Amino acid sequence: MHPHLTIEQQGRLLTVTLNRTEDNGVSDSMATALSQLLLKAHETADAVVLRSAGPDFCTGRIRDAGPTPAAAEAYTRRDEYDGIFGSYQAMRGAKVPVIGVIQGRCMGFGTAIAALCDVSFASDQASFNIPEIGHNVMPTMVMSAVYDRMNRNAILWMAYSTDFIDAQRALAYGLVSQVVPQAQLDAEVARFAELLLSRPRPAILGLKEYLRVAPRMDEQGAIDYARSLHSMVNTAAAMKKKAH
């Protein structure tokens, strides 16, 4: 795997920890490795917890060590960013839900993957921003992750201003699911993960599948897809077992 990703499997829960503590950034190779993990997670897990080992969840994208790529035509340079865009696609496409645990600063790429988590818990001490334009970099990488998570005005205000927002505003903007006191963050994540894993696997997978596909359909298509998925999931043997 990757030296800056820590992986722990506990039963049907897979925990992936961003472990680049020298700067709390995520390199392109880390993003690629994360993609590979997420797209295979359903083989061993019913859910993934994504967190950071450092004081900050993620301070943004960091280039891997090596020479800076020579200036070139945009078409030539485009492949350089596939690791980042691929990680966004993997978070959307992962069959099992991804639970984000957000603390400290959440910047650029960090804001993007926080928004892409299916359920996320932010410490009340967490903060979020989109800093790219302050470095004369177009923030469209981040915007491609959050465009369907946040309203247009919120995205543009964050992108133009680069200002940090607190966890409560992130909740209001749709970036996170819950805001939790810092001291209770781990306990609340553990409580939710236990609750989630008590649900039947077909329902866990079906919920994410529906919300991955239906928003891109027209109204009738979304209704028809709901009917089909409802019938398919509810006839699964796991759905017949009594809840404990």
Side-chain angles (χ1 to χ4, degrees), residues 78-152:
R78 188 169 61 173
D79 291 350
E80 177 187 344
Y81 309 108
D82 282 353
I84 300 300
F85 285 113
S87 68
Y88 298 164
Q89 291 176 315
M91 293 193 72
R92 293 181 188 274
K95 293 184 179 181
V96 296
V98 181
I99 305 167
V101 186
I102 318 299
Q103 62 182 13
R105 292 177 297 170
C106 196
M107 304 170 63
F109 179 76
T111 296
I113 59 174
L116 288 168
C117 288
D118 299 294
V119 178
S120 51
F121 296 86
S123 158
D124 59 356
Q125 302 301 307
S127 59
F128 303 75
N129 85 330
I130 301 175
E132 281 82 351
I133 203 169
H135 304 291
N136 291 336
V137 174
M138 275 289 288
T140 44
M141 294 176 77
V142 177
M143 292 170 75
S144 74
V146 304
Y147 76 93
D148 59 348
R149 264 52 177 176
M150 299 168 58
N151 71 61
R152 178 181 182 276

Side-chain angles (χ1 to χ4, degrees), residues 7-98:
I7 305 155
E8 182 182 6
Q9 182 93 39
Q10 292 183 311
R12 299 294 296 178
L13 183 67
L14 180 68
T15 299
V16 180
T17 302
L18 307 175
N19 194 18
R20 185 179 165 121
T21 54
E22 61 266 33
D23 52 27
N24 295 130
V26 170
S27 66
D28 293 344
S29 61
M30 286 175 68
T32 298
L34 178 63
S35 300
Q36 295 167 353
L37 278 169
L38 293 176
L39 292 175
K40 295 176 63 176
H42 64 280
E43 297 175 4
T44 62
D46 290 336
V48 174
V49 169
L50 179 62
R51 62 190 316 146
S52 175
D56 298 310
F57 177 68
C58 174
T59 57
R61 172 185 177 241
I62 305 293
R63 288 187 185 276
D64 285 295
T68 301
E73 295 280 345
Y75 192 84
T76 305
R77 289 286 300 276
R78 188 169 61 173
D79 291 350
E80 177 187 344
Y81 309 108
D82 282 353
I84 300 300
F85 285 113
S87 68
Y88 298 164
Q89 291 176 315
M91 293 193 72
R92 293 181 188 274
K95 293 184 179 181
V96 296
V98 181

Side-chain angles (χ1 to χ4, degrees), residues 5 45 47-48 57 68 72 90 112 137 140 147 150 156 161 164 172 175-176 194 196:
L5 292 178
V48 174
F57 177 68
T68 301
V137 174
T140 44
Y147 76 93
M150 299 168 58
L156 287 175
S161 73
F164 278 94
L175 276 170
V176 298
E194 182 179 4
L196 176 63

